[in-house]
Amino acid sequence: MTDELDIRTAIKDTLPTVFGYIGIGLAFGVVSQSVGLSVLMVVLMSAITYAGSAQFIMVSMLVSHNPVVSIMVAVFLVNARMILMSTVVAPYFKKDSMWRNIFIGALLTDESFALSMNKVNYTEHKMSFEWFNTANLIAYFTWMIASGVGALLGQLVAHPERLGLDFALVAMFIGLLYLQVIADRSLAKSLQLIVILAEAVIIYLGLIFIPGNLLLVVGTLLGCATGVVIKHAFY
Amino acid sequence: MLSTSYVLLTIVGCGIVTLLSRTLPFVLLKNHSLPPLVVELLSFVPITIMTALWVTNLFTQHLGHLPSVNYENLFASVPTVITAVITKSLLWIVLVGVVSLAILRAVM
């Protein structure tokens, strides 16, 4: 990565991440089609809700005929981490217009968030609307197309789980985590490693008594608090 | 069979929820700044959130009991991490991860 923040650079920075979206988007399309969603509904869900992994939960809840409100609550809980990510990204766009802020927020994803946090390590903590918006739009259209293609392919593939596509997203999280650690110069490497280990323990223990959806937000906040305490005590 | 109106209503309802989660912080923080302690807290979000998303995928939850290990994802993570260290390329990391899980499922 370089310190450039124009559209061309954004495309170059974002392209490696599209394979993650393609894998999981295809998987989402295949799965949704197999439980009875039409290709049109799959594409509409990706285009309108655009909620990544939460869409898998939506589909499973739709299939078991849950009330719409329950599904909305579940999606809110799964994507509540978006509130955290938006809060981190928003200060970079204070000088941009309200509409630009809303547009960046509306299409923010785990990957464009992680990629941008990686990017600012190379740009002296500057961010541009052009760069972020390009990263967002590439993610959005890739996701929409991949899920539609997945739904079409779903009619052909008998055992989609054999392809291992459901691991694409986990692999991407691993990659983004590693790239973040090696790129971030504002926090000491040893501190980052300790916080990652602490977070892993928090999540493991949290799995015992905090429902999975809530755990992502509670566990992340606890991990951040642990990081602040350790930083002030030892760094 | 799922009715179109039920699916559409869910899609739009969940769309509104997701949109608000993503955009409200931008609207609220446009003219306000966060206290320094909160900024410091949030500086840990990228690594903690990615760790949380990864680790939750390594286990299967049984509320009230210890989680069980998802061996498929755990084993597939090993070559994925090694690839991350060697290549530092997201493309390779995702490809090796997916292929690892596919191979694991074929042999396990």
Side-chain angles (χ1 to χ4, degrees):
Chain A
M1 272 191 192
T2 64
D3 60 353
E4 304 282 330
L5 282 166
D6 54 295
I7 292 176
R8 181 192 290 264
T9 313
I11 295 173
K12 216 160 56 185
D13 291 339
T14 313
L15 274 185
T17 68
V18 302
F19 295 92
Y21 301 108
I22 291 175
I24 206 74
L26 286 174
F28 171 71
V30 171
V31 170
S32 310
Q33 191 277 144
S34 70
V35 297
L37 252 70
S38 66
V39 177
L40 177 65
M41 286 301 150
V42 169
V43 174
L44 280 181
M45 190 184 289
S46 290
I48 297 172
T49 314
Y50 192 44
S53 51
Q55 287 179 215
F56 286 91
I57 294 157
M58 287 173 68
V59 170
S60 67
M61 291 182 80
L62 278 169
V63 171
S64 43
H65 292 276
N66 283 273
V68 176
V69 175
S70 312
I71 308 180
M72 285 166 67
V73 171
V75 169
F76 172 75
L77 289 175
V78 176
N79 274 348
R81 64 176 189 281
M82 289 294 170
I83 300 171
L84 286 176
M85 295 188 206
S86 294
T87 308
V88 174
V89 173
Y92 288 95
F93 292 97
K94 262 186 173 332
K95 290 203 177 75
D96 289 279
S97 69
M98 184 61 94
W99 282 113
R100 284 189 160 195
N101 270 270
I102 290 174
F103 205 62
I104 290 289
L107 295 180
L108 185 74
T109 66
D110 290 328
E111 291 77 14
S112 62
F113 167 75
L115 201 64
S116 69
M117 290 300 108
N118 204 336
K119 181 75 181 175
V120 295
N121 292 314
Y122 297 87
T123 62
E124 291 169 347
H125 287 267
K126 283 190 185 60
M127 193 25 79
S128 74
F129 175 79
E130 287 73 21
W131 189 94
F132 213 118
N133 189 44
T134 306
N136 272 347
L137 287 176
I138 291 174
Y140 181 67
F141 286 107
T142 309
W143 176 251
M144 206 164 73
I145 295 166
S147 54
V149 171
L152 287 169
L153 285 180
Q155 297 154 343
L156 310 172
V157 186
H159 298 283
E161 72 283 356
R162 282 190 192 156
L163 300 176
L165 287 175
D166 44 321
F167 196 70
L169 209 59
V170 183
M172 186 126 90
F173 296 144
I174 294 174
L176 289 168
L177 174 63
Y178 181 76
L179 295 180
Q180 175 65 27
V181 171
I182 58 171
D184 189 341
R185 281 162 291 181
S186 61
L187 297 170
K189 295 280 170 290
S190 56
L191 174 61
Q192 293 194 61
L193 283 179
I194 292 167
V195 173
I196 288 169
L197 285 176
E199 176 67 15
V201 173
I202 289 169
I203 294 296
Y204 180 79
L205 296 176
L207 279 167
I208 303 168
F209 53 91
I210 305 174
N213 305 334
L214 198 60
L215 179 60
L216 278 180
V217 177
V218 176
T220 299
L221 287 175
L222 282 174
C224 291
T226 310
V228 171
V229 170
I230 294 174
K231 188 178 170 189
H232 282 269
F234 301 105
Y235 286 86
Chain B
M1 196 56 212
L2 297 164
S3 81
T4 305
S5 60
Y6 170 52
V7 177
L8 265 183
L9 198 61
T10 305
I11 287 174
V12 173
C14 293
I16 293 168
V17 166
T18 319
L19 186 68
L20 289 179
S21 310
R22 284 173 173 146
T23 53
L24 273 185
F26 279 87
V27 174
L28 298 176
L29 292 174
K30 183 80 179 80
N31 299 312
H32 302 275
S33 291
L34 293 164
L37 185 65
V38 177
V39 172
E40 190 170 32
L41 194 74
L42 293 174
S43 71
F44 288 96
V45 167
I47 55 172
T48 50
I49 222 162
M50 290 299 141
T51 306
L53 286 165
W54 178 17
V55 175
T56 48
N57 276 292
L58 298 181
F59 297 99
T60 307
Q61 184 169 46
H62 311 284
L63 274 180
H65 300 276
L66 286 178
S68 56
V69 179
N70 181 331
Y71 286 102
E72 283 186 343
N73 282 358
L74 180 66
F75 292 149
S77 293
V78 177
T80 309
V81 171
I82 293 171
T83 310
V85 176
I86 295 174
T87 67
K88 300 179 179 58
S89 148
L90 267 182
L91 174 56
W92 280 110
I93 296 166
V94 172
L95 278 178
V96 169
V98 168
V99 172
S100 305
L101 185 63
I103 293 173
L104 275 168
R105 284 192 176 146
V107 296
M108 270 166 76

